[in-house]
């Protein structure tokens, strides 16, 4: 069963309302529910037609899964206007439609067979990168929708901002995207998802898009049409002024060190064998960072088989630390990491850029309810991969950058631009942080200090 999730009747009814708003179905109209599962939307359409005394359109439901279709057949038994088809919506020819409504499957590329992947890459412009079936359902639905027809889909909100969905965003905005309604996180019982209900009418865009957010507020938005992320416009990101970005004034904006086996390389300060001291540095993990409190001296140390320039040291120069690494159980764990196929078995998953990293810097958690930055004033700490760090172009920018990154405006900007993790938490990303516009005075300070140096 690929991606089955049952849509609750209240959500179905709200979507059917939007499907027929200002355009009642007629008897000759054709309506499609792709990935119809047990027929929740088909029942919703029949319900709407009955209670609104409307003509029932011809309804087609298609699903790959015979077991779901069996339930659907029972639910719509005796309904002459309904046809159920067992097949693949992405490749089947069912003709064209005036209405399309549904909850497409959320199935990531890793769950598709090699054959499906290459077939979909050939057929769909949106089959790029880490594609998901619901993106392809959107593209196929746009293709089989008649001019002036309407689609209402509930899907994860991710396509509104991820890079993979850039072609789909461009395709969608060739038409009138009437509404984006952010549905509650608990819409699907037992699953935390971030669903959005999109209503699109297939004609040239003539109006702005109505956006209804989960906090109950709504506004109209001019979404960018060239495939850019819609998120800043949807969440009304404050317009931070400045021609330069955080990347322009920083030596580094990166995720912390990934060893691939932290428990093998991290030691409690009190238990660190003295022979390892030359290779050890205090290490900061996301959970060591306490909101609104200064950075504490970390209680754990990362023992690194690297020199100060970040070059991997030969085992022979690591003394007792090499004996430790070569113990059977430890060596086996290290060799089992995927990185050990392309690097020496005791190297870190990623080579730590120590000359850049061990400088005065700011650190933040990789996942946070509200973004906050801490100062590592002397730069002696190694940020682990549950953190991100920002090394300013000159150390004198540390304090002003700390003030700026913890300002209300930046917090709001990050909340509007970063991806969501579970339970309303924010996933920081270096690609997004790098794009943060910085005030001109920070840029001027950087230039002045660099010239003076
Ligand atoms: C998220 S469920 C939604 C089910 C139903 N529409 C509802 O909302 O209750 C997605 C459905 O798509 C079906 N599906 C997955 N891949 C499909 C494909 N390529 N063609 C047709 N149906 C597919 C699954 O079997 C599943 O029933």
């Amino acid at each position: 069963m690929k991606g089955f999730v049952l849509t609750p009747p209240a959500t179905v009814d709200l979507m059917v309302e939007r499907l027929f708003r200002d355009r009642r179905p007629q008897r000759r109209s054709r309506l499609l529910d792709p990935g119809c599962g047990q027929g929740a939307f088909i029942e919703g359409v029949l319900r709407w037609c009955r209670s609104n005394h409307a003509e029932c359109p011809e309804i087609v439901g298609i699903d790959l899964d015979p077991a779901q279709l069996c339930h659907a057949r029972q639910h719509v038994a005796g309904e002459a206007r309904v046809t159920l088809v067992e097949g693949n919506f992405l490749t089947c020819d069912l003709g064209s439609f005036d209405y399309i409504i549904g909850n497409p499957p959320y199935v990531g590329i890793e769950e598709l067979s090699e054959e499906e992947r290459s077939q979909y890459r050939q057929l769909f412009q949106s089959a790029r990168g880490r594609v998901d079936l619901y993106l392809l359902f959107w593209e196929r639905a746009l293709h089989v929708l008649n001019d002036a027809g309407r689609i209402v889909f509930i899907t994860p909100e991710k396509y509104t901002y991820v890079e993979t969905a850039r072609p789909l965003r461009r395709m969608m905005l060739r038409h009138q995207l009437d509404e984006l309604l952010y549905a509650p996180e608990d819409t699907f019982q037992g699953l935390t998802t971030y669903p959005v209900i999109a209503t699109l009418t297939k004609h040239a865009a003539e109006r702005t898009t109505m956006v209804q957010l989960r906090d109950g507020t709504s506004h109209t938005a001019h979404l960018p049409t060239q495939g850019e992320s819609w998120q800043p416009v949807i969440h009304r990101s404050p317009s931070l002024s400045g021609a330069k970005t955080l990347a322009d004034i920083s030596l580094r904006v990166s995720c912390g060190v990934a060893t691939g086996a932290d428990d093998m390389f991290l030691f409690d300060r009190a238990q660190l064998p003295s022979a390892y001291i030359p290779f050890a540095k205090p290490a900061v993990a996301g959970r060591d960072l306490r909101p609104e409190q200064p950075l504490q001296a970390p209680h754990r140390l990362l023992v690194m088989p690297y020199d100060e320039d970040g070059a991997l040291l030969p085992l022979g120069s690591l003394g007792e630390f090499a004996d430790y690494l070569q113990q059977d159980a430890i060596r086996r764990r290290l060799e089992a990491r995927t990185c050990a196929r392309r690097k020496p078995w005791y190297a870190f998953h990623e080579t730590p850029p120590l000359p850049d990293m061990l400088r005065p810097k700011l650190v933040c958690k990789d996942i946070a309810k509200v973004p906050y930055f801490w100062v590592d004033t002397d730069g002696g700490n190694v940020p682990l991969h549950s953190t991100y760090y920002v090394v300013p172009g000159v150390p004198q920018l540390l304090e002003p950058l700390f003030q700026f990154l913890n300002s209300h405006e930046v917090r709001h900007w990050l909340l509007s631009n970063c991806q969501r993790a579970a339970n309303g938490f924010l996933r920081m990303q270096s690609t997004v942080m790098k794009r943060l516009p910085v005030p001109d005075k920070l840029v001027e300070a950087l230039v002045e200090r660099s010239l003076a140096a």
Side-chain angles (χ1 to χ4, degrees), residues 1-7 12 33-41 62-65 68 87-90 102-107 120 133 137:
M1 172 171 47
K2 265 188 185 151
F4 179 75
V5 182
L6 189 71
T7 311
V12 168
D33 175 358
C36 62
Q38 304 187 358
F41 285 98
I62 178 168
D63 205 289
L64 265 184
D65 187 343
Q68 298 302 331
N88 184 345
F89 168 59
L90 298 173
N103 175 3
Y106 324 148
V107 176
Y120 294 156
L133 280 191
F137 264 56

Side-chain angles (χ1 to χ4, degrees), residues 132-205:
D132 196 297
L133 280 191
Y134 78 89
L135 304 177
L136 308 187
F137 264 56
W138 255 116
E139 181 172 343
R140 180 85 184 134
L142 285 168
H143 188 70
V144 299
L145 185 69
N146 286 331
D147 285 345
R150 183 172 284 167
I151 299 177
V152 182
F153 268 169
I154 182 164
T155 65
E157 66 178 39
K158 257 185 150 178
Y159 74 91
T160 63
Y161 54 83
V162 292
E163 188 52 32
T164 307
R166 187 177 266 272
L168 176 66
R169 286 193 293 271
R170 207 180 299 126
M171 262 176 247
M172 287 174 71
L173 289 193
R174 286 191 202 124
H175 309 290
Q176 172 64 44
L177 182 56
D178 299 307
E179 188 186 51
L180 288 172
L181 166 61
Y182 285 77
E185 289 160 24
D186 57 358
T187 296
F188 299 105
Q189 226 184 9
L191 284 178
T192 304
T193 52
Y194 293 90
V196 66
I197 297 170
T199 303
L200 178 146
T201 309
K202 193 170 182 180
H203 55 63

Side-chain angles (χ1 to χ4, degrees), residues 88-346:
N88 184 345
F89 168 59
L90 298 173
T91 52
C92 233
D93 183 4
L94 300 165
S96 62
F97 295 88
D98 306 296
Y99 300 97
I100 302 181
I101 187 165
N103 175 3
Y106 324 148
V107 176
I109 186 160
E110 56 291 335
E111 292 174 59
L112 301 179
S113 69
E114 203 45 64
E115 197 186 337
E116 285 171 313
R117 283 183 217 183
S118 68
Q119 184 185 25
Y120 294 156
R121 287 207 197 286
Q122 276 176 17
L123 291 176
F124 295 98
Q125 285 178 41
S126 56
R128 278 185 19 165
R130 298 192 61 74
V131 68
D132 196 297
L133 280 191
Y134 78 89
L135 304 177
L136 308 187
F137 264 56
W138 255 116
E139 181 172 343
R140 180 85 184 134
L142 285 168
H143 188 70
V144 299
L145 185 69
N146 286 331
D147 285 345
R150 183 172 284 167
I151 299 177
V152 182
F153 268 169
I154 182 164
T155 65
E157 66 178 39
K158 257 185 150 178
Y159 74 91
T160 63
Y161 54 83
V162 292
E163 188 52 32
T164 307
R166 187 177 266 272
L168 176 66
R169 286 193 293 271
R170 207 180 299 126
M171 262 176 247
M172 287 174 71
L173 289 193
R174 286 191 202 124
H175 309 290
Q176 172 64 44
L177 182 56
D178 299 307
E179 188 186 51
L180 288 172
L181 166 61
Y182 285 77
E185 289 160 24
D186 57 358
T187 296
F188 299 105
Q189 226 184 9
L191 284 178
T192 304
T193 52
Y194 293 90
V196 66
I197 297 170
T199 303
L200 178 146
T201 309
K202 193 170 182 180
H203 55 63
E206 52 192 30
R207 288 191 312 276
T208 47
T209 301
M210 169 63 82
V211 176
Q212 281 203 45
L213 298 172
R214 287 194 188 94
D215 63 8
T217 60
S218 57
H219 64 101
T220 54
H222 264 295
L223 298 176
T225 54
Q226 295 309 307
E228 306 93 314
S229 163
W230 296 344
Q231 208 169 7
V233 177
I234 287 171
H235 295 285
R236 287 183 287 186
S237 164
S239 50
L240 285 170
S241 58
K244 301 279 186 194
T245 62
L246 188 59
D248 294 326
I249 63 155
S250 305
L251 200 58
R252 229 167 220 287
V253 180
S254 302
C255 185
V257 174
T259 65
D262 281 0
D263 50 336
M264 303 286 111
F265 294 106
L266 278 170
F267 292 81
D268 265 359
R269 197 177 277 279
Q271 280 153 15
L272 183 77
S274 56
Y276 301 2
I277 290 175
F279 311 107
K281 293 273 180 234
V284 190
R287 65 185 146 105
D288 300 327
L289 299 167
R290 302 279 146 87
E292 312 289 340
Q293 287 180 25
L295 185 62
Q296 311 288 324
H299 65 278
R300 290 183 306 168
L301 296 151
L302 185 69
V303 184
M304 299 182 285
Y306 291 88
D307 68 14
E308 297 272 307
D309 293 328
L312 188 68
L313 290 162
L315 264 183
S317 63
L318 297 178
E320 287 181 27
F321 181 41
D323 301 339
Y324 160 79
L325 293 172
Q326 292 187 96
Q327 290 172 37
D328 272 358
I330 294 173
R331 182 166 181 154
R332 269 203 305 277
R333 264 289 304 281
L334 297 178
E335 283 178 341
R337 298 169 305 156
T338 49
C339 62
R341 290 189 213 131
R342 54 186 162 82
K343 317 175 126 182
W345 62 271
Y346 62 97

Side-chain angles (χ1 to χ4, degrees), residues 287-442:
R287 65 185 146 105
D288 300 327
L289 299 167
R290 302 279 146 87
E292 312 289 340
Q293 287 180 25
L295 185 62
Q296 311 288 324
H299 65 278
R300 290 183 306 168
L301 296 151
L302 185 69
V303 184
M304 299 182 285
Y306 291 88
D307 68 14
E308 297 272 307
D309 293 328
L312 188 68
L313 290 162
L315 264 183
S317 63
L318 297 178
E320 287 181 27
F321 181 41
D323 301 339
Y324 160 79
L325 293 172
Q326 292 187 96
Q327 290 172 37
D328 272 358
I330 294 173
R331 182 166 181 154
R332 269 203 305 277
R333 264 289 304 281
L334 297 178
E335 283 178 341
R337 298 169 305 156
T338 49
C339 62
R341 290 189 213 131
R342 54 186 162 82
K343 317 175 126 182
W345 62 271
Y346 62 97
F348 284 176
H349 188 71
E350 278 159 12
T351 307
L354 293 178
D356 284 355
M357 182 186 277
L358 292 173
R359 290 177 187 243
K361 59 185 167 292
L362 297 157
V363 280
C364 66
K365 291 172 186 279
D366 64 342
I367 292 182
K369 195 102 192 164
V370 175
Y372 187 82
F373 290 80
W374 286 258
V375 196
D376 176 14
T377 314
D378 67 3
N381 295 302
V382 173
L384 294 173
H385 60 101
S386 50
T387 65
Y388 280 87
Y389 64 100
V390 180
V391 181
V394 291
Q396 294 86 341
L397 277 192
L398 196 63
E399 181 56 30
L401 200 51
F402 169 71
Q403 299 295 345
F404 171 63
L405 290 179
N406 285 324
S407 66
H408 174 72
E409 291 76 18
V410 170
R411 222 165 259 179
H412 190 166
W413 190 93
L414 289 169
L415 285 165
S416 315
N417 285 273
C418 291
Q419 285 188 18
R420 300 277 146 184
N423 302 326
F425 277 69
L426 202 67
R427 189 184 299 285
M428 303 287 270
Q429 292 164 286
S430 54
T431 45
V432 175
M433 289 161 67
K434 283 178 182 169
R435 286 196 279 111
L436 175 78
V438 293
D440 293 343
K441 63 178 193 301
L442 278 180

